[in-house]
Structure formats: structure tokens, C-alpha cells
Amino acid sequence: MTPEEKQLLIKDLSARLLYGVQAKVDGHNNPLRILGIERLNKSTWAWKKGTYVVSFWNDTKCIDQVKPYLRPMTSMTEEERKEFWKVVDNYGSDSNAFDGFELGDDVDWLNEHHFDFRGLIPMGLALEAKEGMYGIK
């Protein structure tokens, strides 16, 4: 994983923590187990200095051992598409999005629904979420 890819993954995961993102962890005792990410922070361990670690309820791994499960943009249902456009349309054609701090609402919605809007899946930094994983069918 390049430093740029690592930074992109850190940035993406940081914004998803509130929404219960799940991940596959390399080197975990049971590789089929999917874990919910609880925390992401800069390591204070001397042998990992300068990297980020991801914490789960019973384990901690380096960022490059973690692949979040995300939904491809193409998996958006028609109902979700309508809901998303309502969020985007809140800006209005003649409004200033900066006035109401609405600019991030669309990104927040995409994160909440676990969509891969940064293209992490094709880059190999994330895995495609299994159907029903996040309660979406």
C-alpha cells in the first residue's frame, strides 16, 4: 500500500466511524469474521510509529491490514437514489451552500449508506459489501 493510498483509506475510514463500517482484517484468527471498526488513531507503539491503527472490540491492527466493506455506487437502489437527490437538492440552484453548512450533507449521506464514492474497491483498498450486510437489500 502506497503512502497516498494509506492516507486515502485513513481519510475515508475516519469519516465512516460514526456509521458502523465493517471490515475484513488480514491476519485475524478467523479470516471469515467481519469486525466493526470502533476507533482509528495514530499509533504510539514504537515499532509502528508513524502509522495508523484500527481498533475493534477485541483487537488492533495496522491500517494496511484492514479492508472496509463498502457498497459500489452502482448498487444504489432507486429509492436510495431519490433520497440522495433530495439531500443534494436541498442546496437549491440559487442558494449558497456555504450559508447553511450544507456542503457535507451529501458526503455524510453516502458515508452513512456505506457507498464507495472514492473508488476504493477498484483500487483494492476496500471490498464489496455482501448483500444485506448493512441492512440494505
Side-chain angles (χ1 to χ4, degrees), residues 14-136:
S14 295
R16 294 180 189 276
L17 288 177
L18 292 173
Y19 305 112
V21 65
Q22 297 178 23
K24 178 184 180 297
V25 181
D26 290 341
H28 194 272
N29 294 339
N30 181 354
L32 299 176
R33 189 162 181 197
I34 298 166
L35 301 172
I37 297 174
E38 292 182 359
R39 208 174 42 222
L40 175 72
N41 53 321
K42 194 146 187 156
S43 174
T44 55
W45 305 337
W47 60 277
K48 291 183 183 174
K49 193 168 181 131
T51 192
Y52 278 76
V53 292
V54 181
S55 298
F56 305 93
W57 71 275
N58 66 345
D59 206 354
T60 300
K61 295 290 181 184
C62 288
I63 188 76
D64 42 2
Q65 293 178 288
V66 175
K67 286 193 179 183
Y69 283 100
L70 302 178
R71 297 176 58 203
M73 293 297 288
T74 56
S75 73
M76 190 181 292
T77 65
E78 188 59 36
E79 185 177 311
E80 288 173 319
R81 193 173 279 109
K82 289 176 183 174
E83 186 180 337
F84 177 68
W85 283 110
K86 283 181 185 175
V87 172
V88 172
D89 283 346
N90 280 340
Y91 299 149
S93 58
D94 58 347
S95 72
N96 183 350
F98 297 112
D99 287 344
F101 296 100
E102 301 167 340
L103 198 55
D105 290 349
D106 50 356
V107 174
D108 291 342
W109 189 94
L110 291 167
N111 281 330
E112 182 179 3
H113 291 83
H114 308 286
F115 283 107
D116 179 23
F117 61 92
R118 295 182 196 271
L120 299 180
I121 295 170
M123 295 172 67
L125 300 175
L127 300 170
E128 187 171 332
K130 298 166 178 67
E131 187 173 327
M133 176 178 267
Y134 290 114
I136 311 294

Side-chain angles (χ1 to χ4, degrees), residues 1-15 40 42 50-52 63-64 118 120 123 125:
M1 182 181 298
T2 68
E4 293 80 14
E5 289 172 334
K6 196 177 287 190
Q7 280 299 318
L8 181 62
L9 185 56
I10 290 166
K11 185 187 306 183
D12 191 80
L13 284 178
S14 295
L40 175 72
K42 194 146 187 156
T51 192
Y52 278 76
I63 188 76
D64 42 2
R118 295 182 196 271
L120 299 180
M123 295 172 67
L125 300 175

